[in-house]
Amino acid sequence: MSEKPIILLGAGGHASVIVDILKMQQSNIAGVIALSAPERTIFSDVKTYFNDADLTRFSINSYDVVVAVGPQPNKNNRLNIIDKVTRIGYAFRQVISHHSVISNYVLLNEGVQVLPGAVINAGAKIGQHVVVNSRAVIEHDCTVGNFSHIAPSAVLCGGVELGENVYVGAGAVILPGIKVGSQAVIGAKALVDKDVPYNATLYGCRGKLK
């Protein structure tokens, strides 16, 4: 893993979890770029910058970026930030909690974040900038498309395929072999037992399409 200093983008709740992981791993956090002064004490010893233009003050070859803005369904804030940083030329650091369980036979792409208690089993392929949140489970041979979010305690059973920018809500369960189209939103605690089309919203304990 890269040992470059890290520039953190975002200072909200998701960012506080990311900072906690990085501090436990003794990573060098060079600073956080936020719209306002962080209120959480976990940021008290992290230098804060208040303008996106401050990204240009750092050398793109000497620093890595972590996008710590939390994913939200049907909102593109995080994707827009990733696009901007990509155009500047920075590399994105993975953030992998030491309290997660990840098979040695898993593919994790650039910018992936795996939070405490998450489990990713053999044969899974995790796309760029995916967030696997606390205690989420991604079973064997799943494919998770770029920019997707697996919320806390969600479960992807074996062989599930997610397209890009899919949001799987907290506690949702997707049964084996199900395919979920890009841009889809799976509501919290939904049970998904049939394929979900592109840009669809599915909710409720029996997984009704909206």
Side-chain angles (χ1 to χ4, degrees):
M1 181 177 288
S2 172
E3 296 299 329
K4 295 178 183 176
I6 293 168
I7 306 164
L8 197 75
L9 303 184
H14 182 71
S16 68
V17 178
I18 295 299
V19 168
D20 196 29
I21 293 169
L22 294 174
K23 285 186 173 183
M24 284 191 284
Q25 297 173 355
Q26 299 183 330
S27 299
N28 180 0
I29 305 174
V32 56
I33 297 177
L35 296 177
S36 58
E39 297 178 357
R40 294 171 171 84
T41 56
I42 198 166
F43 293 99
S44 60
D45 58 349
V46 180
K47 184 174 178 57
T48 303
Y49 301 89
F50 299 105
N51 193 319
D52 287 350
D54 284 316
L55 270 174
T56 60
R57 73 166 59 217
F58 301 98
S59 166
I60 62 173
N61 297 316
S62 300
Y63 293 82
D64 287 336
V65 165
V66 170
V67 177
V69 174
Q72 294 179 294
N74 299 318
K75 293 187 178 181
N76 292 321
N77 293 0
R78 193 167 190 273
L79 273 66
N80 292 338
I81 293 170
I82 290 168
D83 180 66
K84 180 175 182 177
V85 174
T86 299
R87 284 188 279 109
I88 293 172
Y90 280 103
F92 294 91
R93 177 81 63 89
Q94 293 179 349
V95 178
I96 311 296
S97 170
H98 289 167
H99 298 291
S100 60
V101 179
I102 302 175
S103 166
N104 290 330
Y105 302 95
V106 165
L107 174 63
L108 300 176
N109 279 289
E110 182 181 49
V112 166
Q113 299 174 3
V114 183
L115 275 54
V119 176
I120 307 178
N121 280 328
K125 298 176 182 178
I126 312 300
Q128 296 178 10
H129 304 290
V130 168
V131 175
V132 183
N133 222 311
S134 306
R135 299 184 68 82
V137 176
I138 299 177
E139 268 297 347
H140 63 87
D141 304 309
C142 287
T143 300
V144 180
N146 298 338
F147 315 114
S148 293
H149 177 230
I150 316 302
S153 297
V155 177
L156 276 56
C157 296
V160 166
E161 297 181 18
L162 303 187
E164 292 196 351
N165 197 26
V166 173
Y167 188 97
V168 181
V173 177
I174 305 179
L175 296 184
I178 295 296
K179 295 178 174 59
V180 179
S182 296
Q183 313 292 334
V185 176
I186 308 299
K189 295 189 177 181
L191 175 64
V192 184
D193 59 0
K194 54 184 176 295
D195 290 351
V196 179
Y198 168 84
N199 202 34
T201 298
L202 187 142
Y203 66 98
C205 62
R206 294 305 302 172
K208 298 178 181 179
L209 285 171
K210 186 174 181 180

